[in-house]
Amino acid sequence: MDNKLRCFLCGEELKEGIADVRAGWGRYRLRFYGVRALICEGCDDIIFSKYDVQVVQKLSKLFLEFSFQDRPKKIDLSNVYDLFIDDENLIHNIEIKKLTLYENEGMFHLDRKEVEMYRKGNIMQA
């Protein structure tokens, strides 16, 4: 018997990958791109870890701090997602309004250097 993770739907092997996910808080809905996941090679089912779900939920809730028209409908996290993985305190302590949301043709993103500087500033204050 192998030690590979298997899909509970079809039994095929699960591989680490990157996926997008629809999420939201209350009536607010958005799509996250660049979220790590386990992806089934057989049926393309996508499984997110408990922590990855927490990251998406926390960010969804934090974006409620923005006015309705300024809330992202689509956000690409691929350039910063590893920072949330490397430092689990980041998602729990982040003050989203201290960061700039950049927008290009309806797709929002955070600047990696800005998030790194924010993270270092908070570590130094702690």
Side-chain angles (χ1 to χ4, degrees), residues 10 19 29 40 83 92 99 112 116 126:
C10 72
R29 298 284 178 255
C40 177
L83 300 175
H92 298 292
L99 298 171
R112 182 178 184 86
E116 287 173 337

Side-chain angles (χ1 to χ4, degrees), residues 18 29 31 38 52 69-70 77 79 86 99 120-121:
I18 303 296
R29 298 284 178 255
R31 181 176 284 249
L38 293 173
D52 294 309
Q69 64 270 15
D70 293 333
L77 298 175
N79 66 326
D86 293 343
L99 298 171
K120 287 177 185 171

Side-chain angles (χ1 to χ4, degrees), residues 49-106:
S49 75
K50 179 180 175 182
Y51 179 71
D52 294 309
V53 171
Q54 288 175 347
V55 169
V56 167
Q57 287 178 332
K58 179 74 172 177
L59 287 172
S60 297
K61 188 174 181 182
L62 285 171
F63 290 139
L64 291 175
E65 295 178 17
F66 292 96
S67 64
F68 182 78
Q69 64 270 15
D70 293 333
R71 292 179 194 158
K73 303 289 185 280
K74 299 186 291 185
I75 185 161
D76 185 354
L77 298 175
S78 58
N79 66 326
V80 295
Y81 200 78
D82 63 310
L83 300 175
F84 292 109
I85 303 308
D86 293 343
D87 180 2
E88 291 189 13
N89 289 320
L90 180 60
I91 192 61
H92 298 292
N93 299 318
I94 196 166
E95 296 174 68
I96 200 71
K97 282 201 161 186
K98 289 189 175 181
L99 298 171
T100 304
L101 277 176
Y102 297 91
E103 189 257 338
N104 183 14
E105 297 182 11

Side-chain angles (χ1 to χ4, degrees), residues 2-14 40 47:
D2 63 31
N3 288 333
K4 296 176 182 173
L5 291 174
R6 299 279 175 187
C7 178
F8 69 94
L9 294 175
C10 72
E12 290 295 319
E13 185 176 356
L14 297 171
C40 177
I47 300 170

